[in-house]
Amino acid sequence: MVGSRVVETSEGIQGEFNTQTYDRMMRRMRDKGWLETNLILRAGITQGLALEVGPGPGYLGLEWLKKTKETNLRALEISSDMITIAERNAKAYGLQSRVHYVKGDAQDMPFDDNMFDGVFTNGSLHEWSKPTKVLDEVYRVLRGGGKYCISDLRRDMNPLVKWFMKLVTKPKEIRPGLISSINAAYTVEEIGSILEQSNLVGYKVRSQTMGLIITGEKTA
Ligand SMILES: C[S@@+](CC[C@H](N)C(=O)[O-])C[C@H]1O[C@@H](n2cnc3c(N)ncnc32)[C@H](O)[C@@H]1O
């Protein structure tokens, strides 16, 4: 029996301690090769100008830039503290000319219609207070034929997997945040009904051991 969803935050990850601890966790995941950049590539987001929603410290988008040629990235992030860290990381990658971090809310994106060849986001969905609104914005800013890839944790993961994830997550100061994120995440069934209410069509939802992945294309 899966517990009810416990809303975490709608203001993003704020404050020096939280953002720096999160950065340490994601840097370690990057160093271990655990970032799922291939998910984005397999979803068909391989060229042109992409949008990342909620990049946090930015490693996923920076790895995507590294693995693709002549691509550029806009990354929309609600937390100024996270943007400071992401900009520092982009410089360390030598990729600052290909990525631009924009402060704003994914529920009301400061971008023109049909602007992006692809949109991706990881681990941010459970923080959006109006997920349908964000999905509609994803649809609006994508060009016809543009692809999207939305991944997140899922609350209906096996309790043993949840326990194992907590154990391997470092630094240990981030573990309470991990558990609150899992408790705020959607089940596969819940995300299905959110998607039905959005403008997205023809999507696929896949369930994985720890999370869920939504992929699709905007039909012209
Ligand atoms: C759990 S972190 C995931 C960061 C990164 N994508 C990753 O895979 O590690 C979620 C990020 O989404 C941002 N965020 C949350 N709600 C947002 C919103 N409405 N608009 C833009 N960014 C948002 C948070 O500030 C945070 O940096």
Side-chain angles (χ1 to χ4, degrees), residues 171-183:
K172 65 176 172 27
E173 294 80 1
I174 203 81
R175 290 175 185 167
L178 170 75
I179 297 302
S180 71
S181 295
I182 295 172
N183 293 339

Side-chain angles (χ1 to χ4, degrees), residues 12-13 22 26 52 54-57 76-79 82 104-107 122-124 126-128:
I13 302 181
Y22 194 87
M26 292 310 292
E52 181 177 11
L76 181 65
E77 172 55 63
I78 205 166
S79 161
M82 275 301 193
D105 190 336
Q107 284 157 185
N122 177 64
S124 189
H126 67 271
E127 293 186 12
W128 306 335

Side-chain angles (χ1 to χ4, degrees), residues 22 26 29 35-36 39-40 52-56 60 120-126 128 149-153 212:
Y22 194 87
M26 292 310 292
M29 286 183 66
L35 295 189
E36 301 245 52
L39 279 184
I40 303 167
E52 181 177 11
V53 178
L60 185 66
F120 61 88
T121 177
N122 177 64
S124 189
L125 163 66
H126 67 271
W128 306 335
C149 177
I150 300 165
S151 53
D152 202 359
L153 297 161
L212 51 86

Side-chain angles (χ1 to χ4, degrees), residues 37-103:
T37 325
N38 287 337
L39 279 184
I40 303 167
L41 300 175
R42 280 203 297 271
I45 305 172
T46 54
Q47 48 90 38
L49 176 64
L51 169 67
E52 181 177 11
V53 178
Y59 296 108
L60 185 66
L62 292 167
E63 289 293 319
W64 177 79
L65 282 171
K66 239 174 82 175
K67 287 192 176 173
T68 51
K69 289 205 175 79
E70 294 172 18
T71 50
N72 288 286
L73 185 65
R74 296 272 197 291
L76 181 65
E77 172 55 63
I78 205 166
S79 161
S80 312
D81 296 322
M82 275 301 193
I83 291 184
T84 304
I85 292 178
E87 284 173 340
R88 183 201 70 198
N89 290 337
K91 271 196 195 124
Y93 272 75
L95 287 172
Q96 65 274 33
S97 63
R98 289 171 61 197
V99 58
H100 179 47
Y101 296 98
V102 178
K103 181 168 163 35

Side-chain angles (χ1 to χ4, degrees), residues 49-54 73-77 100-106 108-116 119 137-138 140-142:
L49 176 64
L51 169 67
E52 181 177 11
V53 178
L73 185 65
R74 296 272 197 291
L76 181 65
E77 172 55 63
H100 179 47
Y101 296 98
V102 178
K103 181 168 163 35
D105 190 336
D108 187 14
M109 295 188 188
F111 303 119
D112 293 338
D113 297 357
N114 310 310
M115 185 171 157
F116 294 101
V119 178
E137 284 291 80
V138 168
R140 181 183 69 75
V141 301
L142 264 179

Side-chain angles (χ1 to χ4, degrees), residues 3 7 25 38 42 104 133 150 155 158 185 190 197 206 209:
V7 173
M25 174 183 76
N38 287 337
R42 280 203 297 271
K133 184 83 178 63
I150 300 165
R155 197 171 79 255
N158 184 305
E190 286 165 353
Q197 292 163 41
R206 274 178 296 140
T209 311

